[in-house]
Amino acid sequence: MLNLINSTLNLFTPLFLISIGAIITSKSGTLNIALEGLTLIGALFAVIGANLSGSLLIGTLFAIFASVLLASIISLVNSVLKTNPFITALASNMLATALTLIITFSIYNSKGLLRLDIAPLKLIDTLFLGKLTIFLPISIFLYIIIYLLIEKTPFGLELKACGYNPSVLDAFGISKTKLDSIALIMSAVFCALAGSYLSLRQGAFISQMSANKGWYALVIVFLCNSNIKFLIPATLVFASSEAFSNYIQGINNLPSDIALMIPSVFTLIVMIAISYYNKQKQTTIKG
Amino acid sequence: MRKLKGLIDIFLISIALLIGIIFLMSKSPLNSIYQLFIGPLSSPYFFGNTLSHTAPLIISSVGIAIAFRCNLINLGGDGQMYVGALVASLVAIYLAPFGKISILFALIIASLSGAILAFISAYLKVKLDTPELISSYLISIASTYFVSYLITGPLQDPSSNLQSTNKVDFMLEKIYLPSNLSTAIFYALIIAFLFYYIFTQTKFGYENKIIGYNKEFARYGGISVSKNYYISFSLSGALVAFAGGIYIFGNYQSVIKGFSSGIGFSALTISLIALNNPLAIIPIAFIISLVNQGSIMAMQNSDISSDVALLFQAIIFLLITSSTLLGEKKNVKLN
């Protein structure tokens, strides 16, 4: 049982970080499908940075730099070349996959794999919850900051206005493009943190190690109805489904592919349930 | 014409970026570039194989284009293709006593399976407003794992070294030996022309287009948007699954683990570049197939990774909806 709680909390950390990123962009009214790629590129550059400098902290900064760079490219392409934001985001996911594979192949001669030369992220023994990393308290701390930023500051109000009704922003002379870019870049920071957690804890970068977490994060935001208060319980639900998937993989002779199916099926069911609930609510209001 | 000029610009930018990256990554960049662009054209064998991979790409891109035309994004291509291929091979093996006609039945039932998968997303979109983008992708992940489980578990061919199912008994006729090129390419061309006709000459094609431009206007004009969503998205899934079947009967003979991974995204790229025009899809699918084949050759004969093909597609993908580059006043609308 303790094991299950512990692995849930460890799976919770990256998912939570990405979800914070997802909720920032969802506040500004965009469905951010680039999360997956931003996380992946962060995971690779965390290892590259840590190997170059010998410090996990600098590795994480590298990751943030790389993800923010990718996010800036996306928002630049979106605003200057006026592309369809969905397609650009999908493209950035492809770009991230391709770049991680090419970089690991050409520079390190092992396609899709890059080992960390220094000791991976330290696990700290806590009394009741098992071994955890420093990323968990950091993510909670950042969550509180983002909560305050969105709920209590003028910037948060602008962001929310952008999501509700962009034409209001026009009236006040605030640029929607600029807000969108800021939101995207902020979410990139969180994806980078999640990515560095994944690779620095694993002690290696493995291709596709973001494992659709960016997509699950979108559904988590869906689940808490973009209300930032419910983000922790919503993420916990998802993390426990992943922990469960890992758990039964070890315990029974269940084929791994079937166990790996669980999170996506679960996500799908949750999404259908929320859509159903929202629809019901809508019709009640109308009726 | 301005659009065409824009498209050529985007192609040139992408190729330039690709060449730039090869120069950064490769120790013998000229050889790599030669292998990438000229390699697949260097012998009849490679050329035939490039064409042979073009056939399913054309079919699946037409499928994706149907959804795009009414503003739906079918992100489930990988899964639909994988399921389609598995269903096709199972049906073909089961009906093998009936002879070559089994291929036809296999393809029909494979298309049905893809249609069902896609229909779920369309149904959720219409009834519950669930974004089809996410639901089709999640269904694709789940079905991909499930098919992989079947291929490596109960349905694995014990005599094969690859992780794959039993081989089907009949294949489409080869027309350009020693390469893999089969009559599939003709079927792909027929499908492209058929859908060009449907898109431009029929009521369905017209309604489909109007919904893409403006859903509310279409509704006001008496077009049933939900009916069109059902038909378009199911048809989209059906064609992608059909293409999965074509991979079996035209190229691979058995379902190999993970073969469809990324092809759904290639199909998205192709139909975006072709601006959803089935006739334009034909040459563009050939170019993408050429780059795919070239990247495999470049990996074997020089020192760059085959993922440069993915990178190339990603760069095009990034730029292709740009209304600035395509010289349009308004954004290309998709959602």
Side-chain angles (χ1 to χ4, degrees):
Chain A
M1 193 60 200
L2 182 71
N3 252 340
L4 209 58
I5 293 174
N6 180 251
S7 82
T8 302
L9 283 177
N10 278 322
L11 287 162
F12 169 82
T13 313
L15 211 51
F16 187 51
L17 284 165
I18 304 175
S19 304
I20 299 174
I23 210 157
I24 299 170
T25 42
S26 114
K27 284 287 174 199
S28 79
T30 40
L31 186 67
N32 183 2
I33 17 188
L35 297 164
E36 185 75 14
L38 294 171
T39 310
L40 194 65
I41 212 91
L44 175 66
F45 278 84
V47 178
I48 293 180
N51 280 352
L52 285 178
S53 66
S55 141
L56 295 179
L57 181 66
I58 295 187
T60 310
L61 292 177
F62 249 72
I64 293 174
F65 176 74
S67 297
V68 166
L69 190 67
L70 184 59
S72 318
I73 292 174
I74 301 169
S75 47
L76 208 65
V77 168
N78 271 341
S79 57
V80 176
L81 298 179
K82 296 199 177 54
T83 52
N84 178 300
F86 285 102
I87 299 299
T88 326
L90 282 175
S92 70
N93 288 345
M94 280 166 86
L95 199 64
T97 311
L99 281 178
T100 51
L101 288 168
I102 291 171
I103 290 172
T104 46
F105 180 83
S106 297
I107 303 181
Y108 300 97
N109 272 325
S110 61
K111 190 167 170 174
L113 180 80
L114 181 58
R115 282 183 200 291
L116 191 62
D117 295 335
I118 52 177
L121 207 58
K122 228 185 277 170
L123 291 166
I124 302 157
D125 220 337
T126 51
L127 210 49
F128 299 110
L129 301 171
K131 290 183 170 156
L132 297 171
T133 62
I134 185 83
F135 273 74
L136 185 62
I138 291 178
S139 66
I140 304 279
F141 175 70
L142 289 173
Y143 167 71
I144 295 168
I145 290 182
I146 292 297
Y147 177 83
L148 293 175
L149 185 74
I150 288 178
E151 298 295 336
K152 307 283 178 206
T153 64
F155 172 76
L157 209 59
E158 280 172 18
L159 207 60
K160 280 195 275 191
C162 182
Y164 282 125
N165 190 351
S167 55
V168 172
L169 292 179
D170 281 344
F172 281 90
I174 304 163
S175 154
K176 176 172 162 51
T177 331
K178 195 173 134 197
L179 270 179
D180 279 345
S181 308
I182 294 174
L184 184 63
I185 287 171
M186 279 169 75
S187 77
V189 174
F190 285 95
C191 290
L193 287 173
S196 5
Y197 170 82
L198 289 171
S199 59
L200 295 181
R201 182 165 170 263
Q202 191 81 39
F205 168 82
I206 304 159
S207 77
Q208 298 300 338
M209 77 185 309
S210 49
N212 295 318
K213 287 191 168 56
W215 296 90
Y216 299 150
L218 288 180
V219 181
I220 290 173
V221 171
F222 221 70
L223 176 62
C224 55
N225 208 359
S226 290
N227 189 338
I228 192 160
K229 276 180 202 151
F230 303 135
L231 198 60
I232 292 183
T235 315
L236 270 175
V237 171
F238 274 78
S240 52
S241 94
E242 269 192 90
F244 180 68
S245 155
N246 291 352
Y247 173 71
I248 58 168
Q249 222 179 127
I251 196 163
N252 293 321
N253 269 335
L254 199 73
S256 63
D257 282 320
I258 292 289
L260 288 168
M261 244 177 97
I262 293 173
S264 52
V265 173
F266 176 78
T267 313
L268 188 66
I269 293 170
V270 169
M271 202 172 72
I272 294 170
I274 313 159
S275 313
Y276 182 73
Y277 173 76
N278 286 345
K279 194 78 183 180
Q280 289 289 323
K281 215 166 61 179
Q282 258 179 33
T283 32
T284 350
I285 293 166
K286 269 185 200 161
Chain B
M1 270 328 271
R2 282 176 74 194
K3 263 188 184 171
L4 188 66
K5 193 178 158 293
L7 282 176
I8 293 172
D9 283 349
I10 291 173
F11 246 96
L12 292 180
I13 295 172
S14 310
I15 290 176
L17 281 171
L18 183 69
I19 290 176
I21 286 178
I22 291 174
F23 266 93
L24 269 178
M25 294 292 176
S26 174
K27 287 192 187 69
S28 54
L30 291 178
N31 178 36
S32 305
I33 290 166
Y34 175 83
Q35 293 291 345
L36 188 60
F37 292 108
I38 315 290
L41 303 172
S42 62
S43 82
Y45 174 73
F46 292 123
F47 181 67
N49 278 351
T50 306
L51 274 180
S52 153
H53 278 277
T54 308
L57 272 182
I58 292 175
I59 300 170
S60 47
S61 307
V62 171
I64 300 286
I66 300 172
F68 264 145
R69 277 172 55 94
C70 61
N71 259 343
L72 297 175
I73 302 183
N74 181 1
L75 268 192
D78 288 3
Q80 288 152 6
M81 181 169 278
Y82 210 21
V83 170
L86 184 75
V87 170
S89 78
L90 288 180
V91 173
I93 291 169
Y94 187 71
L95 294 180
F98 293 93
K100 273 217 124 164
I101 195 84
S102 63
I103 295 181
L104 182 69
F105 284 110
L107 287 173
I108 291 173
I109 297 176
S111 311
L112 268 178
S113 69
I116 292 168
L117 280 184
F119 180 79
I120 301 171
S121 301
Y123 184 81
L124 292 173
K125 168 90 176 175
V126 170
K127 295 288 176 196
L128 305 174
D129 288 335
T130 318
E132 82 288 353
L133 188 78
I134 302 182
S135 69
S136 62
Y137 186 73
L138 289 173
I139 292 173
S140 166
I141 303 173
S143 49
T144 302
Y145 280 127
F146 189 65
V147 172
S148 285
Y149 155 70
L150 291 175
I151 292 175
T152 52
L155 298 177
Q156 181 165 13
D157 177 8
S159 64
S160 165
N161 295 326
L162 286 170
Q163 290 190 309
S164 65
T165 56
N166 287 320
K167 286 188 169 151
V168 294
D169 300 281
F170 299 100
M171 296 278 282
L172 293 167
E173 255 163 79
K174 301 267 186 273
I175 51 171
Y176 190 58
L177 289 168
S179 78
N180 256 334
L181 184 61
S182 66
T183 46
I185 189 76
F186 298 129
Y187 300 129
L189 294 178
I190 291 170
I191 285 175
F193 277 96
L194 177 70
F195 275 92
Y196 180 74
Y197 176 80
I198 290 176
F199 286 168
T200 53
Q201 305 293 327
T202 67
K203 189 169 154 238
F204 168 74
Y206 176 73
E207 292 186 347
N208 195 284
K209 190 172 83 180
I210 296 300
I211 291 172
Y213 281 134
N214 189 334
K215 203 166 79 176
E216 293 312 315
F217 176 73
R219 193 170 282 145
Y220 188 72
I223 298 172
S224 166
V225 175
S226 45
K227 195 180 99 191
N228 250 280
Y229 274 1
Y230 289 143
I231 298 177
S232 308
F233 216 65
S234 308
L235 208 55
S236 171
L239 277 178
V240 178
F242 184 87
I246 290 289
Y247 263 112
I248 303 307
F249 300 119
N251 298 39
Y252 295 136
Q253 206 170 7
S254 61
V255 192
I256 303 163
K257 188 180 181 188
F259 88 91
S260 72
S261 148
I263 298 176
F265 281 91
S266 297
L268 282 169
T269 321
I270 294 165
S271 44
L272 278 173
I273 302 174
L275 304 171
N276 303 332
N277 178 346
L279 295 187
I281 281 176
I282 299 169
I284 290 160
F286 175 72
I287 294 174
I288 294 290
S289 174
L290 199 70
V291 176
N292 281 339
Q293 288 294 309
S295 70
I296 296 171
M297 296 189 68
M299 174 112 162
Q300 285 163 356
N301 301 322
S302 75
D303 60 345
I304 55 170
S305 155
S306 63
D307 300 294
V308 287
L310 188 65
L311 185 75
F312 180 63
Q313 283 181 35
I315 298 171
I316 295 184
F317 215 84
L318 197 64
L319 303 174
I320 198 64
T321 54
S322 163
S323 42
T324 317
L325 289 175
L326 291 180
E328 285 167 6
K329 288 203 181 85
K330 275 194 166 172
N331 274 12
V332 177
K333 267 187 68 180
L334 277 172
N335 235 328

